[in-house]
Amino acid sequence: MSATELLKEEHRAIKLMLNILREVAQRLEANEKVDPQDLSQMVEFIRVFADRCHHGKEEDLLFPALEETGVPREGGPIGVMLVEHDEGRAYARALAEAVGRYRDGREDAVRGIIENARNYANLLTQHIDKEDNILYVIADLHLSPEKQEALVREFGRVEEEKIGAGRHEEFHHLLRRLKKTYLG
């Protein structure tokens, strides 16, 4: 499996979480209660799996590898992706704060969860589409098979260092449980 294929596989997991977030926002908007522990785990998935692990692989390894081949950081797709990563982090921060207020029983938290969950889901949906259909196509054209293999090995190191051994699988287990709970 190439580095870009591995990242696309992670995108499928992230997109599942985005669908779960949308369903949670819809339930909250309909005045249904949502388990605060589930909300906290969704935030953890976003912050650890999607951001620290997935975006970390891109920012620390893929993007610099592309820059070495002459793909510019500024004024190109890499720059756009970096800006969107930062936007996603801002939504995730605001979502985490709203979830904390929700856990404390504060009614004003629901609106913050709904807005930030939807904003994050909408941003990441478009972001993933750009990466899958533009940035990763560029990467496949510019990176040799040997460089892709080296990136895959480095991705494994990132997972160990940034999220810990076995956490990747734990997040996939969490996704299966949340999918069953919220999407049927």
Side-chain angles (χ1 to χ4, degrees):
M1 182 178 290
S2 71
T4 53
E5 288 168 337
L6 198 144
L7 292 170
K8 285 180 183 179
E9 188 174 287
E10 290 179 356
H11 278 168
R12 286 189 283 281
I14 293 166
K15 287 194 286 192
L16 176 55
M17 180 57 78
L18 300 179
N19 288 333
I20 293 165
L21 283 172
R22 286 184 178 102
E23 175 60 25
V24 163
Q26 193 169 329
R27 288 184 185 195
L28 288 170
E29 199 164 54
N31 293 318
E32 293 179 36
K33 294 288 182 204
V34 174
D35 183 341
Q37 182 63 29
D38 286 350
L39 291 169
S40 293
Q41 289 177 324
M42 291 173 204
V43 168
E44 182 183 21
F45 179 93
I46 290 167
R47 289 183 141 174
V48 177
F49 183 91
D51 190 36
R52 194 179 315 153
C53 182
H54 178 79
H55 291 159
K57 290 172 184 174
E58 292 172 339
E59 292 174 2
D60 296 345
L61 300 166
L62 180 67
F63 296 172
L66 286 171
E67 287 178 71
E68 288 173 15
T69 70
V71 177
R73 175 179 285 262
E74 300 304 320
I78 294 172
V80 172
M81 297 304 107
L82 289 168
V83 167
E84 291 179 0
H85 286 180
D86 286 342
E87 287 176 32
R89 288 179 184 118
Y91 288 133
R93 235 182 340 271
L95 179 61
E97 291 167 7
V99 166
R101 291 193 311 275
Y102 186 82
R103 287 179 71 95
D104 294 339
R106 295 189 36 203
E107 288 297 317
D108 67 325
V110 172
R111 178 62 29 214
I113 293 171
I114 293 168
E115 288 176 11
N116 288 291
R118 285 183 174 153
N119 287 338
Y120 181 83
N122 291 338
L123 172 71
L124 262 284
T125 297
Q126 294 173 14
H127 177 81
I128 287 169
D129 186 59
K130 285 182 243 181
E131 285 186 339
D132 284 352
N133 298 302
I134 298 169
L135 185 70
Y136 295 169
V137 172
I138 291 169
D140 288 340
L141 291 171
H142 284 81
L143 300 175
S144 69
E146 296 78 24
K147 184 62 178 178
Q148 289 255 11
E149 287 176 26
L151 285 171
V152 169
R153 286 191 300 276
E154 288 296 304
F155 287 175
R157 183 185 55 75
V158 166
E159 283 183 27
E160 293 279 325
E161 291 175 4
K162 292 205 175 199
I163 68 170
R167 287 296 308 275
H168 208 269
E169 293 74 24
E170 288 173 19
F171 281 120
H172 283 285
H173 177 74
L174 171 68
L175 270 178
R176 286 190 295 276
R177 185 184 67 73
L178 293 174
K179 178 184 178 186
K180 185 176 179 181
T181 302
Y182 294 99
L183 302 178

